[in-house]
Amino acid sequence: MKYLNPNRLYHALGRRKFLEFTLFTVFLLFFYSPLMNTVMLAFANVYRVPAVIPQQFGFQWWSFILSKESLMSSIFNSFVIAIVATAVSLIICVPAAYALSRYQFRGRRVLMFSYLLTNAFPKMGLYVSMGILFYKFNLMGTFAGVIIVHIINTLMFMVWLPMGALRNIHRQQEEAARDVGATPLQVFRKVTLPMAMPGIAVASIFTFLGSLEESEGTMLVGFPQINTMATEMYGVISDYPATAGAVFALILIVPSLLILFLFRKYIKPDSVFGGVKIK
Amino acid sequence: MRSPKVQLKRVTKKYANGDGVENINLEIYEGEILTLLGPSGCGKTTLLRILGGFNAIDDGEVLINGNNVVQLAPEKRPTAMVFQSYNLWPHMTVFENLAFGMKLRKMPRTQIKEAIKSMLDLLKMNGTEKKYPNQLSGGQQQRIAIARSLLLKPSVLLLDEPFSALDAKIRMQMREELKKIQAQLNITVMFVTHDQEEAMALSHRIVVMDKGKIAQVGTPTEIYDQPVSKYVASFIGEMNFIKEADGELAVRPENVRICSGNSGNYKGTITSIMILGHFASVHINYEGQDVKAFVARSASFELCETMPVSFELIKYQRYKKGA
């Protein structure tokens, strides 16, 4: 510990380095300590509040969570819903993005701006008014209803990001493909889509992860018939000790981490911010 | 060489803003390089895109090999186009770029490989098969784009200012290469440019266009020596215009000869002399008008500024007022 004495460090590192070092340490603590705390709590058998370190470590809550059938089925539900929501969203949004990137028409800007609106309202208010409509169309408590809520949440990303990617494709590149003998559909499949793939991939990841962690809308529309990991989380936190919540949170993180890892080469500032332009 | 490969008959295409082409009649013969030359907005690119099938026409006929192609989509036409830039697909390697069209035509793989190899040999680009377009220079990219077009053995190769994005030295080199390859393969080429020097250097025939209409068609020599209008005369090469009572004389600087003593018909004063390598450019003030003359460097030593001189016109065109 002697060599961690601040005074000693200050003189050893020099003023500039010392400040950088301090700032970096604060940043790391701020950023990672909640996460580390969650990990620590997840492997605690007994934890009482004023203490920082749990009183007893173990896997007790893991076996509890994994043995709860409703929790396990909610994980399955979450993935099915996320996959379907992403797929449907792609089918709806990519053609829309293509149209917005290629054709000039009246009201184009207004339309693009309208995608932002769903994100501008307080979510709960939006869900309540949607709920009224959903009752009318018998969508309450149905799989389709939940999917619609999830899609509405990510509509903006799913249109804007692919649109930015599509707009970076030059018309000549598509025309050259027509010229060498590709039909419009072949051009889209072999040239346009592959070239826009980074943008579309990032948007899909957003949608997929967004759907995995969406809880408010799912609760309102799907409860109690449809349970996802995110809605179960509420139950776990309110009914069981913090340690159970920590275990569940860790399980929730795994798919997100996995996906981010798999698609890390697509997730670059370019492909994310290149798309966010209104023009 | 003399059978028409492409015929345009009364082709008209008007845009909402008034640009476009009007009543174009033109024939392109097998094995020739025909250049469409004109300032931007004159309709030259429109005409090229009409041939390629990218612009629909309002009226007229387009015949390639005697068949009317007006109704055909670009992918059905026996044409191949090279654009000014962004020709290649960045997610494909050079090989995949080149093979794309042939694969669509269901050519056997071995045949595709052979064709690409010999094409790359022809363009001195062998060894680039596995590279991606962004690993090539601008000139190399255009070369691959031309190769991709040639591989499909088009009836007519359409080039839309393919070298204008390249720097001057590469541009010259590409021109020479294109001409060599064209002669070797005896392909029919329609070339669009706004660069009159490029048009003169490349073409068998030049079509000078003005506001959607053809101003003159002819060999580079005809266009240079006998421009039919003041517009053509001013667009190609350097030209002096000397005002007269009922019109104008157009005379090239190399056709203005400075005479010894007072023997020339025109008299003026030298305003400036510029040495431009093996020749000098001499500006003469003739009755308030500026006349430029090209003089051999050795002869320019006898001249100096503010010196009164006389000159004569060896060859000139006369245009009536309003022509």
Side-chain angles (χ1 to χ4, degrees), chain B residues 8-51:
Chain B
L8 300 172
K9 292 180 180 170
R10 307 179 320 279
V11 169
T12 300
K13 162 81 190 172
K14 278 280 160 202
Y15 291 109
N17 66 0
D19 282 356
V21 293
E22 208 178 313
N23 198 21
I24 300 286
N25 291 289
L26 189 64
E27 290 183 340
I28 307 168
Y29 298 103
E30 177 144 23
E32 79 169 337
I33 303 182
L34 181 89
T35 301
L36 299 176
L37 176 66
S40 62
C42 74
K44 55 191 194 300
T45 297
T46 305
L47 207 54
L48 194 79
R49 289 174 61 86
I50 284 171
L51 258 180

Short mmCIF file of all heavy atoms in Angstrom, two decimals, chain B residues 8-51:
data_model
loop_
_atom_site.label_atom_id
_atom_site.label_comp_id
_atom_site.label_asym_id
_atom_site.label_seq_id
_atom_site.Cartn_x
_atom_site.Cartn_y
_atom_site.Cartn_z
N LEU B 8 -29.89 6.55 -84.44
CA LEU B 8 -30.86 7.32 -83.65
C LEU B 8 -31.71 8.09 -84.66
O LEU B 8 -31.18 8.76 -85.55
CB LEU B 8 -30.14 8.31 -82.73
CG LEU B 8 -29.19 7.71 -81.69
CD1 LEU B 8 -28.43 8.82 -80.99
CD2 LEU B 8 -29.94 6.88 -80.70
N LYS B 9 -33.01 7.94 -84.53
CA LYS B 9 -33.90 8.62 -85.48
C LYS B 9 -34.87 9.52 -84.73
O LYS B 9 -35.65 9.03 -83.92
CB LYS B 9 -34.70 7.60 -86.30
CG LYS B 9 -33.82 6.79 -87.25
CD LYS B 9 -34.66 5.80 -88.01
CE LYS B 9 -33.79 4.97 -88.96
NZ LYS B 9 -34.55 3.86 -89.54
N ARG B 10 -34.80 10.78 -85.01
CA ARG B 10 -35.71 11.78 -84.43
C ARG B 10 -35.85 11.64 -82.92
O ARG B 10 -36.94 11.80 -82.35
CB ARG B 10 -37.12 11.67 -85.07
CG ARG B 10 -37.16 11.71 -86.57
CD ARG B 10 -38.59 11.57 -87.07
NE ARG B 10 -39.37 10.59 -86.33
CZ ARG B 10 -39.31 9.27 -86.55
NH1 ARG B 10 -38.50 8.77 -87.47
NH2 ARG B 10 -40.05 8.46 -85.83
N VAL B 11 -34.76 11.34 -82.25
CA VAL B 11 -34.86 11.10 -80.81
C VAL B 11 -35.09 12.40 -80.05
O VAL B 11 -34.36 13.37 -80.23
CB VAL B 11 -33.59 10.40 -80.29
CG1 VAL B 11 -33.57 10.40 -78.77
CG2 VAL B 11 -33.54 8.98 -80.83
N THR B 12 -36.12 12.40 -79.22
CA THR B 12 -36.45 13.58 -78.43
C THR B 12 -36.69 13.18 -76.99
O THR B 12 -37.36 12.19 -76.72
CB THR B 12 -37.72 14.28 -78.99
OG1 THR B 12 -37.46 14.67 -80.33
CG2 THR B 12 -38.08 15.51 -78.17
N LYS B 13 -36.10 13.94 -76.10
CA LYS B 13 -36.33 13.71 -74.67
C LYS B 13 -36.23 15.06 -73.98
O LYS B 13 -35.19 15.71 -74.03
CB LYS B 13 -35.27 12.76 -74.11
CG LYS B 13 -35.13 12.77 -72.61
CD LYS B 13 -36.18 11.91 -71.96
CE LYS B 13 -36.18 12.12 -70.47
NZ LYS B 13 -37.31 11.44 -69.84
N LYS B 14 -37.34 15.49 -73.41
CA LYS B 14 -37.34 16.82 -72.78
C LYS B 14 -37.56 16.68 -71.29
O LYS B 14 -38.43 15.93 -70.85
CB LYS B 14 -38.47 17.68 -73.39
CG LYS B 14 -38.09 18.31 -74.72
CD LYS B 14 -37.25 19.56 -74.51
CE LYS B 14 -36.48 19.89 -75.78
NZ LYS B 14 -35.31 20.72 -75.51
N TYR B 15 -36.76 17.39 -70.51
CA TYR B 15 -36.99 17.43 -69.08
C TYR B 15 -37.88 18.61 -68.75
O TYR B 15 -38.03 19.53 -69.55
CB TYR B 15 -35.66 17.55 -68.34
CG TYR B 15 -34.82 16.33 -68.42
CD1 TYR B 15 -33.67 16.32 -69.19
CD2 TYR B 15 -35.18 15.16 -67.75
CE1 TYR B 15 -32.89 15.19 -69.28
CE2 TYR B 15 -34.41 14.03 -67.83
CZ TYR B 15 -33.25 14.05 -68.60
OH TYR B 15 -32.50 12.93 -68.68
N ALA B 16 -38.41 18.57 -67.53
CA ALA B 16 -39.32 19.64 -67.11
C ALA B 16 -38.63 21.00 -67.16
O ALA B 16 -39.25 22.02 -67.45
CB ALA B 16 -39.84 19.35 -65.71
N ASN B 17 -37.33 21.04 -66.86
CA ASN B 17 -36.61 22.32 -66.82
C ASN B 17 -36.17 22.81 -68.20
O ASN B 17 -35.45 23.78 -68.32
CB ASN B 17 -35.43 22.24 -65.87
CG ASN B 17 -34.36 21.28 -66.34
OD1 ASN B 17 -34.51 20.66 -67.40
ND2 ASN B 17 -33.31 21.15 -65.59
N GLY B 18 -36.57 22.08 -69.25
CA GLY B 18 -36.25 22.53 -70.60
C GLY B 18 -34.99 21.90 -71.18
O GLY B 18 -34.75 21.96 -72.38
N ASP B 19 -34.18 21.25 -70.31
CA ASP B 19 -33.00 20.54 -70.81
C ASP B 19 -33.45 19.28 -71.55
O ASP B 19 -34.61 18.92 -71.52
CB ASP B 19 -32.10 20.12 -69.64
CG ASP B 19 -31.28 21.29 -69.13
OD1 ASP B 19 -31.38 22.37 -69.74
OD2 ASP B 19 -30.55 21.12 -68.14
N GLY B 20 -32.48 18.65 -72.18
CA GLY B 20 -32.80 17.40 -72.87
C GLY B 20 -32.25 17.44 -74.28
O GLY B 20 -31.35 18.22 -74.59
N VAL B 21 -32.78 16.56 -75.12
CA VAL B 21 -32.33 16.54 -76.51
C VAL B 21 -33.56 16.61 -77.41
O VAL B 21 -34.64 16.20 -77.02
CB VAL B 21 -31.50 15.28 -76.83
CG1 VAL B 21 -30.19 15.31 -76.09
CG2 VAL B 21 -32.27 14.00 -76.52
N GLU B 22 -33.34 17.12 -78.63
CA GLU B 22 -34.47 17.33 -79.51
C GLU B 22 -34.13 16.89 -80.92
O GLU B 22 -33.13 17.31 -81.48
CB GLU B 22 -34.82 18.83 -79.50
CG GLU B 22 -36.27 19.10 -79.78
CD GLU B 22 -36.56 20.58 -79.71
OE1 GLU B 22 -36.12 21.22 -78.73
OE2 GLU B 22 -37.19 21.09 -80.63
N ASN B 23 -34.96 16.00 -81.44
CA ASN B 23 -34.87 15.61 -82.85
C ASN B 23 -33.45 15.23 -83.27
O ASN B 23 -32.89 15.81 -84.18
CB ASN B 23 -35.41 16.74 -83.73
CG ASN B 23 -35.76 16.24 -85.12
OD1 ASN B 23 -35.98 15.04 -85.31
ND2 ASN B 23 -35.79 17.14 -86.08
N ILE B 24 -32.88 14.28 -82.58
CA ILE B 24 -31.50 13.87 -82.88
C ILE B 24 -31.51 12.74 -83.91
O ILE B 24 -32.16 11.71 -83.72
CB ILE B 24 -30.79 13.37 -81.61
CG1 ILE B 24 -30.72 14.46 -80.54
CG2 ILE B 24 -29.40 12.83 -81.94
CD1 ILE B 24 -29.74 15.56 -80.80
N ASN B 25 -30.81 12.96 -85.01
CA ASN B 25 -30.59 11.90 -86.00
C ASN B 25 -29.10 11.65 -86.08
O ASN B 25 -28.33 12.56 -86.35
CB ASN B 25 -31.13 12.33 -87.36
CG ASN B 25 -32.64 12.40 -87.36
OD1 ASN B 25 -33.33 11.39 -87.30
ND2 ASN B 25 -33.16 13.62 -87.36
N LEU B 26 -28.72 10.40 -85.86
CA LEU B 26 -27.29 10.13 -85.78
C LEU B 26 -27.04 8.66 -86.07
O LEU B 26 -27.83 7.80 -85.68
CB LEU B 26 -26.81 10.48 -84.37
CG LEU B 26 -25.31 10.48 -84.09
CD1 LEU B 26 -24.62 11.55 -84.91
CD2 LEU B 26 -25.06 10.74 -82.61
N GLU B 27 -25.93 8.39 -86.76
CA GLU B 27 -25.55 7.00 -86.99
C GLU B 27 -24.16 6.77 -86.43
O GLU B 27 -23.29 7.62 -86.55
CB GLU B 27 -25.59 6.67 -88.48
CG GLU B 27 -26.99 6.64 -89.02
CD GLU B 27 -27.06 6.25 -90.48
OE1 GLU B 27 -26.02 6.38 -91.18
OE2 GLU B 27 -28.12 5.82 -90.93
N ILE B 28 -23.97 5.62 -85.81
CA ILE B 28 -22.65 5.25 -85.33
C ILE B 28 -22.24 4.00 -86.10
O ILE B 28 -23.00 3.03 -86.16
CB ILE B 28 -22.66 4.98 -83.82
CG1 ILE B 28 -23.28 6.16 -83.08
CG2 ILE B 28 -21.24 4.72 -83.32
CD1 ILE B 28 -23.58 5.86 -81.63
N TYR B 29 -21.06 4.05 -86.67
CA TYR B 29 -20.62 2.94 -87.50
C TYR B 29 -19.80 1.96 -86.71
O TYR B 29 -19.18 2.29 -85.71
CB TYR B 29 -19.83 3.47 -88.70
CG TYR B 29 -20.66 4.35 -89.59
CD1 TYR B 29 -20.53 5.73 -89.55
CD2 TYR B 29 -21.62 3.78 -90.43
CE1 TYR B 29 -21.33 6.54 -90.34
CE2 TYR B 29 -22.43 4.58 -91.22
CZ TYR B 29 -22.27 5.95 -91.18
OH TYR B 29 -23.07 6.75 -91.96
N GLU B 30 -19.79 0.75 -87.20
CA GLU B 30 -19.04 -0.31 -86.54
C GLU B 30 -17.56 0.07 -86.48
O GLU B 30 -16.97 0.50 -87.46
CB GLU B 30 -19.23 -1.62 -87.31
CG GLU B 30 -18.43 -2.75 -86.72
CD GLU B 30 -19.18 -4.07 -86.82
OE1 GLU B 30 -20.06 -4.19 -87.67
OE2 GLU B 30 -18.85 -4.96 -86.02
N GLY B 31 -16.97 -0.10 -85.32
CA GLY B 31 -15.53 0.09 -85.17
C GLY B 31 -15.08 1.53 -85.07
O GLY B 31 -13.89 1.82 -85.21
N GLU B 32 -16.00 2.46 -84.81
CA GLU B 32 -15.54 3.85 -84.70
C GLU B 32 -15.74 4.37 -83.27
O GLU B 32 -16.55 3.86 -82.51
CB GLU B 32 -16.27 4.76 -85.69
CG GLU B 32 -17.67 5.17 -85.28
CD GLU B 32 -18.24 6.28 -86.15
OE1 GLU B 32 -17.47 7.03 -86.78
OE2 GLU B 32 -19.47 6.40 -86.19
N ILE B 33 -14.93 5.37 -82.96
CA ILE B 33 -15.15 6.10 -81.71
C ILE B 33 -15.85 7.39 -82.07
O ILE B 33 -15.30 8.23 -82.78
CB ILE B 33 -13.82 6.43 -80.99
CG1 ILE B 33 -13.03 5.16 -80.71
CG2 ILE B 33 -14.11 7.18 -79.70
CD1 ILE B 33 -11.73 5.41 -79.94
N LEU B 34 -17.08 7.50 -81.59
CA LEU B 34 -17.84 8.71 -81.84
C LEU B 34 -17.93 9.47 -80.52
O LEU B 34 -18.30 8.91 -79.50
CB LEU B 34 -19.24 8.35 -82.33
CG LEU B 34 -20.12 9.55 -82.64
CD1 LEU B 34 -19.92 9.95 -84.11
CD2 LEU B 34 -21.58 9.25 -82.39
N THR B 35 -17.56 10.74 -80.55
CA THR B 35 -17.56 11.51 -79.31
C THR B 35 -18.68 12.53 -79.33
O THR B 35 -18.89 13.22 -80.33
CB THR B 35 -16.23 12.25 -79.13
OG1 THR B 35 -15.20 11.28 -79.11
CG2 THR B 35 -16.20 13.03 -77.84
N LEU B 36 -19.42 12.59 -78.23
CA LEU B 36 -20.39 13.66 -78.04
C LEU B 36 -19.70 14.73 -77.23
O LEU B 36 -19.25 14.48 -76.11
CB LEU B 36 -21.62 13.16 -77.30
CG LEU B 36 -22.43 12.04 -77.96
CD1 LEU B 36 -23.55 11.61 -77.03
CD2 LEU B 36 -22.98 12.49 -79.28
N LEU B 37 -19.61 15.92 -77.80
CA LEU B 37 -18.86 16.99 -77.16
C LEU B 37 -19.76 18.19 -76.96
O LEU B 37 -20.53 18.55 -77.85
CB LEU B 37 -17.67 17.36 -78.06
CG LEU B 37 -16.79 18.52 -77.63
CD1 LEU B 37 -16.05 18.23 -76.35
CD2 LEU B 37 -15.79 18.86 -78.74
N GLY B 38 -19.65 18.80 -75.81
CA GLY B 38 -20.44 20.00 -75.56
C GLY B 38 -20.33 20.42 -74.12
O GLY B 38 -19.84 19.65 -73.29
N PRO B 39 -20.79 21.63 -73.81
CA PRO B 39 -20.74 22.09 -72.43
C PRO B 39 -21.77 21.34 -71.59
O PRO B 39 -22.62 20.66 -72.14
CB PRO B 39 -21.10 23.57 -72.54
CG PRO B 39 -21.93 23.66 -73.77
CD PRO B 39 -21.42 22.60 -74.70
N SER B 40 -21.70 21.47 -70.28
CA SER B 40 -22.65 20.75 -69.45
C SER B 40 -24.05 21.28 -69.71
O SER B 40 -24.24 22.46 -69.96
CB SER B 40 -22.28 20.87 -67.98
OG SER B 40 -22.35 22.22 -67.61
N GLY B 41 -25.01 20.35 -69.70
CA GLY B 41 -26.39 20.74 -69.95
C GLY B 41 -26.76 20.74 -71.42
O GLY B 41 -27.86 21.11 -71.78
N CYS B 42 -25.82 20.29 -72.30
CA CYS B 42 -26.12 20.31 -73.73
C CYS B 42 -26.85 19.06 -74.18
O CYS B 42 -27.27 18.94 -75.30
CB CYS B 42 -24.85 20.50 -74.55
SG CYS B 42 -23.84 19.02 -74.61
N GLY B 43 -26.98 18.09 -73.27
CA GLY B 43 -27.75 16.89 -73.62
C GLY B 43 -26.90 15.70 -74.02
O GLY B 43 -27.42 14.66 -74.37
N LYS B 44 -25.57 15.84 -73.92
CA LYS B 44 -24.72 14.72 -74.37
C LYS B 44 -24.86 13.49 -73.49
O LYS B 44 -24.97 12.37 -73.99
CB LYS B 44 -23.25 15.17 -74.46
CG LYS B 44 -22.67 15.78 -73.19
CD LYS B 44 -21.32 16.41 -73.49
CE LYS B 44 -20.55 16.72 -72.21
NZ LYS B 44 -21.22 17.66 -71.30
N THR B 45 -24.90 13.70 -72.18
CA THR B 45 -25.05 12.56 -71.28
C THR B 45 -26.45 11.96 -71.40
O THR B 45 -26.62 10.75 -71.38
CB THR B 45 -24.77 12.97 -69.83
OG1 THR B 45 -23.40 13.39 -69.76
CG2 THR B 45 -24.96 11.83 -68.86
N THR B 46 -27.44 12.83 -71.59
CA THR B 46 -28.81 12.35 -71.80
C THR B 46 -28.86 11.40 -72.97
O THR B 46 -29.45 10.32 -72.89
CB THR B 46 -29.74 13.55 -72.07
OG1 THR B 46 -29.61 14.47 -71.01
CG2 THR B 46 -31.18 13.11 -72.18
N LEU B 47 -28.20 11.78 -74.05
CA LEU B 47 -28.21 10.96 -75.26
C LEU B 47 -27.54 9.61 -75.00
O LEU B 47 -28.03 8.56 -75.42
CB LEU B 47 -27.47 11.72 -76.37
CG LEU B 47 -27.88 11.39 -77.79
CD1 LEU B 47 -29.38 11.55 -77.97
CD2 LEU B 47 -27.14 12.30 -78.77
N LEU B 48 -26.45 9.64 -74.26
CA LEU B 48 -25.74 8.40 -73.96
C LEU B 48 -26.61 7.49 -73.09
O LEU B 48 -26.67 6.28 -73.30
CB LEU B 48 -24.43 8.73 -73.22
CG LEU B 48 -23.43 7.59 -73.13
CD1 LEU B 48 -22.68 7.45 -74.43
CD2 LEU B 48 -22.44 7.82 -72.00
N ARG B 49 -27.27 8.10 -72.13
CA ARG B 49 -28.13 7.31 -71.22
C ARG B 49 -29.35 6.77 -71.95
O ARG B 49 -29.88 5.72 -71.60
CB ARG B 49 -28.52 8.15 -70.01
CG ARG B 49 -27.34 8.40 -69.06
CD ARG B 49 -27.71 9.36 -67.95
NE ARG B 49 -28.80 8.82 -67.14
CZ ARG B 49 -28.62 7.99 -66.11
NH1 ARG B 49 -27.42 7.65 -65.74
NH2 ARG B 49 -29.65 7.55 -65.44
N ILE B 50 -29.79 7.50 -72.97
CA ILE B 50 -30.90 6.99 -73.80
C ILE B 50 -30.45 5.70 -74.49
O ILE B 50 -31.16 4.71 -74.52
CB ILE B 50 -31.33 8.05 -74.84
CG1 ILE B 50 -32.14 9.15 -74.15
CG2 ILE B 50 -32.13 7.41 -75.96
CD1 ILE B 50 -32.44 10.34 -75.02
N LEU B 51 -29.22 5.71 -75.01
CA LEU B 51 -28.70 4.51 -75.67
C LEU B 51 -28.58 3.36 -74.68
O LEU B 51 -28.89 2.21 -75.01
CB LEU B 51 -27.31 4.81 -76.27
CG LEU B 51 -27.27 5.04 -77.76
CD1 LEU B 51 -25.85 5.32 -78.20
CD2 LEU B 51 -27.83 3.85 -78.50
#
